[in-house]
Amino acid sequence: MTDLYPTSIDGIAAARAEILTRIAKAAKQAGRSDDAIDLVAVSKVQPDERIDAMLATGQRIFGENRVQEAQARWSDRRTAYPDLELRLIGPLQTNKAEDACALFDVIETLDREKLAGALVKAMEKTGRRPSLYVQVNTGDEPQKAGLAVGECVDFVRHCRRDLDLPVEGLMCIPPVQEPAAPHFALLSKLAERAAVTKLSMGMSSDFELGVRLGATSVRVGSALFGERVKA
Ligand SMILES: *Cc1c(COP(=O)(O)O)cnc(C)c1O
């Protein structure tokens, strides 16, 4: 494995400090308080020593793409760090809804009726009610998860009113080859119309833009940990 990363605790801490500074600066430019913006450290595929180094910096909010990988990585660490906040940011299959409710504090990828139904049951069964974000396919990309733009507002209302689901925000992943700004602006407008207050938008390459356009959380992986090594 080539070592492109900040492996030492100091290197990880410096990377995190830099990202937090850039978030604060972007927030200030937009006339926002940086208290209103959570840094979600995307830890998928990262080796244990980098996760532990990140925990040592005081970082407590982490994002994961896959339920099983997250269980393996976080089940024990959860006990050691009771103030952890774990977020699912990858697609969720209905047969994993119960495991996801048991582990995560926020599920950012609610994107269909069938999954909403599975989450209702999973919440009853586990007694846990993670906060939910609806993922919106703002670029209308056929291969990408997420609800169509035109369905998003009604879906949020339906989930809250008819299913009593704790939907609190929206999330999007803009098409890689397009400028992100119009997608972030659209998501922000949809959130207003759907009356939700949380906006998950912005990754390593565009989190400052996300902050300027109203993100309440940004999902940063490689800029914090270094490039991911393929498993
Ligand atoms: C991997 C991933 C990220 C982090 O990507 P980076 O470019 O490494 O910051 C953010 N959001 C989602 C949904 C991801 O899958």
Side-chain angles (χ1 to χ4, degrees):
M1 167 168 111
T2 45
D3 217 38
L4 306 164
Y5 322 71
T7 33
S8 70
I9 288 183
D10 285 354
I12 291 262
R16 176 171 179 265
E18 192 204 315
I19 302 286
L20 288 173
T21 303
R22 287 167 60 187
I23 289 173
K25 207 167 151 191
K28 199 169 171 203
Q29 283 167 353
R32 306 183 60 205
S33 160
D34 57 337
D35 291 347
I37 300 138
D38 287 327
L39 171 61
V40 179
V42 178
S43 46
K44 63 184 183 199
V45 203
Q46 297 294 343
D48 278 341
E49 62 268 22
R50 286 196 185 85
I51 307 287
D52 290 327
M54 191 60 79
L55 283 163
T57 68
Q59 176 70 30
R60 289 295 179 269
I61 311 178
F62 290 84
E64 289 283 349
N65 261 41
R66 302 166 74 102
V67 176
Q68 266 164 317
E69 184 188 339
Q71 282 173 324
R73 181 168 293 137
W74 292 107
S75 293
D76 289 345
R77 288 186 174 95
R78 258 229 112 113
T79 319
Y81 297 92
D83 55 343
L84 269 182
E85 179 180 316
L86 298 178
R87 297 182 174 217
L88 181 65
I89 61 170
L92 178 57
Q93 293 168 343
T94 49
N95 64 0
K96 300 264 170 61
E98 209 177 302
D99 287 342
C101 280
L103 181 66
F104 291 99
D105 304 291
V106 182
I107 296 173
E108 298 198 2
T109 50
L110 171 56
D111 64 353
R112 58 200 191 278
E113 177 69 35
K114 195 172 166 215
L115 181 57
L119 286 168
V120 169
K121 289 203 188 99
M123 286 185 186
E124 275 166 15
K125 196 141 179 207
T126 60
R128 295 189 86 248
R129 285 176 67 78
S131 163
L132 302 176
Y133 294 6
V134 167
Q135 182 175 355
V136 187
N137 188 356
T138 56
D140 200 18
E141 296 173 281
Q143 83 287 6
K144 199 166 269 176
L147 216 70
V149 169
E151 296 169 12
C152 147
V153 173
D154 283 345
F155 183 71
V156 169
R157 289 192 185 127
H158 162 66
C159 287
R160 290 172 128 183
R161 194 183 42 205
D162 306 330
L163 305 178
D164 191 31
L165 284 171
V167 178
E168 294 179 359
L170 302 181
M171 177 271 223
C172 77
I173 311 170
V176 278
Q177 70 285 4
E178 286 180 29
H183 296 275
F184 293 166
L186 172 61
L187 198 72
S188 175
K189 194 169 288 179
L190 289 170
E192 216 169 279
R193 283 173 37 205
V196 291
T197 53
K198 305 287 186 185
L199 277 175
S200 171
M201 54 191 201
M203 317 194 341
S204 287
S205 57
D206 53 19
F207 66 88
E208 287 148 307
L209 188 61
V211 168
R212 284 198 291 271
L213 291 172
T216 56
S217 61
V218 292
R219 310 177 305 269
V220 181
S222 42
L224 269 178
F225 287 100
E227 292 301 320
R228 284 177 289 276
V229 176
K230 289 271 188 298

